[in-house]
Amino acid sequence: MTVLTTVQIKNFQSLYNVELELKDFTVIVGPSSSGKSAFFRAMKTLVSNQRGSSFIYHGERVCTISGQFQNGRVTLKRGRGTDDKSYSTIDKNDVQEK
């Protein structure tokens, strides 16, 4: 079973810069308009490799959603008016050069 351990979201809807470490049981709670639904929409966007840029935080040009799993990382990057439109998976055994 693949387990999601960490989520990083930048410039997605109302979520400007969020990093959340997930445990075996994580509960997402908060008052109205605190970003709970945006968080779950970001997760859906990541796993479905959603196209478009309408969900990018107002005034920003690029949105990034990353999920760290036990066996690697998945990252979705979308840009508004740019060529930043990528979806990548990195196995934990892969070495990536910058």
Side-chain angles (χ1 to χ4, degrees):
M1 180 165 106
T2 302
V3 177
L4 182 62
T5 58
T6 306
V7 175
Q8 294 175 318
I9 304 168
K10 293 185 180 181
N11 303 328
F12 182 90
Q13 293 182 344
S14 62
L15 305 175
Y16 181 68
N17 189 0
V18 173
E19 183 169 346
L20 181 62
E21 185 177 334
L22 303 172
K23 300 295 183 183
D24 292 339
F25 183 77
T26 301
V27 178
I28 308 293
V29 297
S32 293
S33 300
S34 62
K36 300 178 303 290
S37 294
F39 176 82
F40 289 109
R41 282 192 294 274
M43 295 297 87
K44 182 178 177 183
T45 300
L46 178 65
V47 299
S48 66
N49 190 12
Q50 185 175 336
R51 304 286 191 231
S53 60
S54 62
F55 46 76
I56 297 175
Y57 188 87
H58 180 72
E60 297 295 330
R61 295 181 58 84
V62 177
C63 166
T64 306
I65 307 167
S66 293
Q68 180 69 45
F69 296 86
Q70 296 164 320
N71 57 344
R73 173 180 286 283
V74 175
T75 302
L76 172 91
K77 186 175 184 181
R78 294 288 181 258
R80 180 184 296 141
T82 70
D83 288 333
D84 291 326
K85 298 175 178 88
S86 63
Y87 188 86
S88 62
T89 59
I90 302 170
D91 187 279
K92 71 176 181 176
N93 298 319
D94 287 348
V95 176
Q96 201 179 37
E97 296 182 18
K98 292 186 176 191

